[in-house]
Amino acid sequence: MRLAAISHLFPPHHNGGYGHQAGVFCERLHQRGHSVHVLTSNILSPYPSDYKPNISIERLLDGIPSTCSFLELQQRNLKNTATTRRFLKRVKPDFIIAFGNDGVGFNVYETILRSEIPSLTWLGDTWLSQAWTNLAQYDAWIG
């Protein structure tokens, strides 16, 4: 099966938690014969882990810090949405796994849901419930 995995953080540049879980899960799927393609942020950890999954990883999404201006938020959301659409069009996945997308904008997650490609949302954190509760606070571009 051709799989797309989209995550804010992914090994070796992660802070533990869902980033590490995403790497292990995707690598195990690859070991079982699936074609796994990862889209993640271009945020590079100053202390990358030793764990480096042996799969295709594209670091093209811009991280969205909580301190950015509204204009910067808008620009990064538009770029990340377009990047996600191009990635999905090129990879042509049979299935999408959405890991933590809190640091790349809610629009990335919304793009996954609107793609009409079957998907699974991996809840390794509270970002999704927080976003749905108050979209304007979570992502000003949506609200």
Side-chain angles (χ1 to χ4, degrees):
M1 183 176 279
R2 193 168 184 82
L3 304 172
I6 303 177
S7 181
H8 168 219
L9 298 174
F10 200 85
H13 301 283
H14 63 90
N15 299 325
Y18 72 79
H20 180 76
Q21 292 171 2
V24 171
F25 189 74
C26 288
E27 187 171 44
R28 296 297 187 268
L29 288 169
H30 173 74
Q31 290 170 351
R32 285 168 176 76
H34 298 286
S35 175
V36 181
H37 303 267
V38 176
L39 177 63
T40 188
S41 72
N42 52 21
I43 297 171
L44 302 180
S45 169
Y47 308 103
S49 71
D50 292 335
Y51 177 63
K52 297 176 176 93
N54 186 25
I55 54 178
S56 169
I57 302 170
E58 297 183 40
R59 298 186 183 280
L60 304 174
L61 298 173
D62 285 347
I64 300 179
S66 59
T67 56
C68 69
S69 68
F70 182 77
L71 179 60
E72 186 179 8
L73 174 67
Q74 180 182 20
Q75 291 169 339
R76 288 177 184 234
N77 266 303
L78 289 171
K79 178 189 175 282
N80 287 348
T81 298
T83 299
T84 303
R85 285 184 182 140
R86 283 192 305 273
F87 175 80
L88 293 175
K89 184 177 181 180
R90 182 173 39 81
V91 170
K92 296 180 176 63
D94 301 309
F95 195 81
I96 304 168
I97 306 166
F99 292 96
N101 286 278
D102 54 325
V104 291
F106 192 74
N107 292 55
V108 169
Y109 183 65
E110 185 177 41
T111 301
I112 294 166
L113 296 179
R114 290 179 184 236
S115 73
E116 298 185 7
I117 300 169
S119 64
L120 167 77
T121 301
W122 181 290
L123 294 176
D125 202 343
T126 60
W127 68 271
L128 184 58
S129 63
Q130 292 167 352
W132 281 117
T133 303
N134 187 346
L135 286 177
Q137 179 182 357
Y138 177 78
D139 193 333
W141 179 238
I142 294 285

